[in-house]
Amino acid sequence: MCSPTPGTGKTTLAKAIVHDLGAEYIYINASSENSIDVIRNQIAEFAQTMSFSGGQKVVILDEADGLTPQFQKALRAFIEEFQSNCRFILTCNYIAKIIPALRQGRTMEFDFNMAKFKDELVPKITTRIEGILKFEKIEYDKEVLPQVVTAFFPSVRQVI
């Protein structure tokens, strides 16, 4: 999952997918945990075992564009080795930093660039933010809210 804009929901969607699958998962912030020891210890230990529930296992590598090319090459081998029992979700802001060997044939790419859907999404995001504001009992100006959503689009995080 890729988008050059932070706050568009890549990580949230990855966690929602895992939740909906009822899968066991580990979350790794790849921009700060990117040593080869992470792949050898955390990922390998998690991926090589069967799930306690018999369901899917998933490794979420958030901000995967922060991984070194060497880490990505090792990850490619792990994806192939453990494909029968573990899935991998990579999120990133800069898809060009993901090596072609990972992008082509081993992963599916979902582009979160929402600019072309702005007219359709701004009212939906506005409605969602209104729901949050009402739930939290926060007063707001109904006329200003769409302007705020438009100004910060597509980053829902910045709007919140």
Side-chain angles (χ1 to χ4, degrees):
M1 292 181 260
C2 185
S3 170
T5 307
T8 56
K10 298 178 295 291
T11 304
T12 300
L13 180 59
K15 289 179 178 180
I17 289 169
V18 169
H19 178 267
D20 285 354
L21 289 173
E24 277 182 53
Y25 77 97
I26 60 170
Y27 170 89
I28 297 172
N29 183 326
S31 66
S32 61
E33 297 181 68
N34 55 18
S35 73
I36 287 296
D37 288 338
V38 170
I39 203 162
R40 287 186 189 130
N41 300 330
Q42 293 181 46
I43 295 175
E45 287 179 19
F46 178 79
Q48 68 189 355
T49 60
M50 297 300 292
S51 167
F52 288 119
S53 66
Q56 291 285 330
K57 293 185 88 170
V58 178
V59 175
I60 299 174
L61 284 161
D62 198 20
E63 301 181 28
D65 45 352
L67 296 171
T68 64
Q70 293 78 14
F71 187 110
Q72 291 182 46
K73 287 175 187 173
L75 178 62
R76 181 184 115 199
F78 275 77
I79 289 173
E80 291 172 0
E81 183 177 347
F82 300 117
Q83 66 184 341
S84 63
N85 99 197
C86 190
R87 303 290 179 258
F88 293 79
I89 298 176
L90 286 69
T91 69
C92 68
N93 291 330
Y94 305 102
I95 193 70
K97 290 186 176 184
I98 304 299
I99 62 171
L102 275 179
R103 291 179 55 197
Q104 299 163 356
R106 288 174 184 81
T107 58
M108 293 175 55
E109 190 175 318
F110 296 93
D111 185 353
F112 275 60
N113 185 354
M114 298 183 281
K116 59 187 169 198
F117 303 108
K118 185 174 184 174
D119 292 341
E120 179 183 343
L121 291 174
V122 166
K124 291 179 181 183
I125 294 169
T126 302
T127 300
R128 177 68 179 128
I129 298 298
E130 283 178 336
I132 293 169
L133 291 168
K134 287 177 185 175
F135 180 80
E136 297 292 336
K137 296 178 177 65
I138 298 171
E139 292 184 30
Y140 65 97
D141 186 333
K142 279 189 170 263
E143 292 181 25
V144 173
L145 186 58
Q147 296 170 12
V148 171
V149 171
T150 300
F152 289 106
F153 183 85
S155 179
V156 177
R157 184 184 306 144
Q158 283 186 299
V159 173
I160 292 172

